[in-house]
Amino acid sequence: MGRDKARRLSGSRHFRQRVVLATLTSTAITIDDIRSGGAAPGLRPHELRYKPGVIVGGRDLEHDCGVHRGIGYFLEPLILLGLFARAPISIRLKGITNDTKDPSVDTFRMVTLHMLKQFGVPLEGLELKIESRGAPPLGGGEVFLRVPNINSTLKAANWADEGMVKRIRGVSFSTRVSPQIENRIIYAARGIFNRFIPDVHIFTDHRSGSAGGRSAGYGVSVVAETTTGCLLSADATVSYPNVDEMNEESENLELTSPEDLGVQVASMLLEEVAQGGVVDSAHQGLLFILCALSPPDVSKVRVGQLTPYAIETLRNIRDFLDVKFIIKPDPNSNTVTLKCVGAGVKNLARKTS
């Protein structure tokens, strides 16, 4: 599916997704006007030229994700690229494990990896182990990710029945604070969940010392499992400011209490359930990409209200994979059914090994 001429793109919107799709389709790209309106615009010389090669993969890799984005920002592209790599990927990622910008590593472990089985990826080769936690602003967390490479192609999915919620699971964490905070979060969350369902279990994960990273914080990730095997998630995190950089404004900052955080994340999950669909709103984009990468058979999925990110994902899929979805809203359930014929992207890198 490679192209001789570079595709010209503009702006920094969905930069990560564009690079991933360009890599998977062997499409050279040129991106102009990256943050052109900023005081220090773009990547010097204010544009990016990228010509993909073979996705190699490999073992014992390491990457420092920094502290500007969470590790979750890097996990989704790594999973997609790893499936089409020459060799399976095993990599250690260091940085922030739980924050307010990106899905937590717990959500990836409990939900995202399990999505892949709908497209023929065996769970046995997938692993995400949380070695240490890292909250903003200083991080200090570390996870180990293992992704298998597929033999040829993914499998088309017919995934439209979300079923009924039968249980709720989750994990609360705390780093460099009292472990009692986790119990307060869980008690508040259960107070909401138990009005609707009795089978609720949220584990605790208190980390101290080096396993607790370099900043204090706490949070919780919860998952609703349905009778048809769908997993819907929500997570929330609270972190303390860096003591060395505290000013008058940060000293007066009121952090969300553990009780309020528990109520907040429970309400978020109930909203995801109410919207309907086989995945939560945070996973819509990944779901559509997996459908588009699948063999030239019909994939059919159902989701709740389309998010702006999901809509932009559909546009990027059209541009890079030439795959268009048939979108059919259901006014009765307020859900959306999408169908497409996959592009049939194959793991050609494995054949060159």
Side-chain angles (χ1 to χ4, degrees):
M1 297 185 64
R3 295 175 173 86
D4 296 331
K5 188 177 180 180
R7 177 182 292 275
R8 185 167 293 274
L9 305 169
S10 179
S12 61
R13 285 175 57 84
H14 301 282
F15 174 87
R16 174 186 60 163
Q17 190 177 89
R18 287 170 165 180
V19 172
V20 169
L21 289 174
T23 304
L24 294 175
T25 58
S26 300
T27 303
I29 58 173
T30 299
I31 304 180
D32 299 310
D33 299 326
I34 298 176
R35 299 184 181 91
S36 57
L43 300 170
R44 291 178 175 81
H46 309 298
E47 66 179 10
L48 170 74
R49 295 183 179 89
Y50 173 60
K51 185 177 181 180
V54 175
I55 306 172
V56 178
R59 296 180 177 179
D60 303 323
L61 304 175
E62 289 190 7
H63 180 68
D64 187 340
C65 300
V67 294
H68 296 291
R69 297 299 296 256
I71 291 175
Y73 178 82
F74 299 84
L75 286 175
E76 182 178 310
L78 274 173
I79 291 170
L80 287 170
L81 295 174
L83 294 174
F84 293 88
R86 177 183 296 170
I89 287 179
S90 62
I91 183 171
R92 291 188 180 277
L93 300 170
K94 300 179 180 181
I96 293 173
T97 57
N98 304 78
D99 70 350
T100 58
K101 295 179 183 178
D102 302 295
S104 70
V105 294
D106 301 283
T107 293
F108 274 92
R109 182 177 59 84
M110 295 187 293
V111 177
T112 312
L113 297 186
H114 291 267
M115 275 181 60
L116 300 179
K117 68 181 180 182
Q118 298 288 339
F119 297 88
V121 179
L123 291 179
E124 292 75 20
L126 289 163
E127 181 184 8
L128 181 60
K129 185 177 181 181
I130 303 170
E131 304 281 5
S132 59
R133 296 269 181 185
L138 300 180
E142 181 175 320
V143 304
F144 173 77
L145 174 68
R146 190 161 57 95
V147 182
N149 57 342
I150 59 176
N151 289 325
S152 179
T153 64
L154 297 171
K155 183 186 74 173
N158 186 356
W159 196 18
D161 181 9
E162 72 266 37
M164 302 290 290
V165 174
K166 65 178 182 179
R167 67 171 65 102
I168 293 175
R169 296 292 183 263
V171 58
S172 67
F173 80 91
S174 60
T175 60
R176 298 183 174 273
V177 295
S178 169
Q180 291 301 317
I181 284 180
E182 297 171 58
N183 295 326
R184 292 164 60 187
I185 295 173
I186 294 171
Y187 183 81
R190 285 183 62 96
I192 301 296
F193 289 139
N194 284 152
R195 300 174 189 174
F196 306 97
I197 186 171
D199 192 352
V200 179
H201 194 104
I202 303 175
F203 298 89
T204 60
D205 183 19
H206 175 67
R207 302 291 182 107
S208 59
S210 60
R214 301 173 60 195
S215 295
Y218 52 87
V220 58
S221 300
V222 287
V223 178
E225 182 180 349
T226 75
T227 52
T228 57
C230 297
L231 300 169
L232 310 175
S233 65
D235 57 50
T237 299
V238 171
S239 59
Y240 292 78
N242 184 6
V243 176
D244 296 333
E245 298 178 359
M246 286 185 66
N247 51 34
E248 184 176 346
E249 181 179 347
S250 59
E251 287 179 353
N252 296 327
L253 180 66
E254 291 189 10
L255 300 177
T256 303
S257 70
E259 290 79 9
D260 288 344
L261 189 71
V263 171
Q264 174 188 330
V265 79
S267 301
M268 291 166 58
L269 184 60
L270 292 178
E271 177 61 28
E272 292 289 352
V273 173
Q275 286 201 31
V278 297
V279 298
D280 54 67
S281 56
H283 286 90
Q284 288 181 6
L286 177 60
L287 175 66
F288 300 158
I289 290 176
L290 291 169
C291 289
L293 294 173
S294 295
D297 298 320
V298 175
S299 284
K300 176 183 177 181
V301 294
R302 192 157 69 94
V303 298
Q305 182 179 357
L306 291 174
T307 65
Y309 181 79
I311 293 171
E312 191 66 28
T313 299
L314 292 173
R315 294 191 180 108
N316 287 330
I317 289 172
R318 176 199 61 197
D319 293 342
F320 283 94
L321 291 162
D322 197 25
V323 170
K324 297 180 181 179
F325 284 75
I326 298 174
I327 303 174
K328 184 179 180 181
D330 182 353
N332 295 322
S333 64
N334 291 323
T335 59
V336 183
T337 299
L338 298 93
K339 296 180 182 179
C340 79
V341 176
V345 175
K346 296 181 179 181
N347 187 357
L348 299 178
R350 183 163 184 163
K351 296 182 178 180
T352 63
S353 59

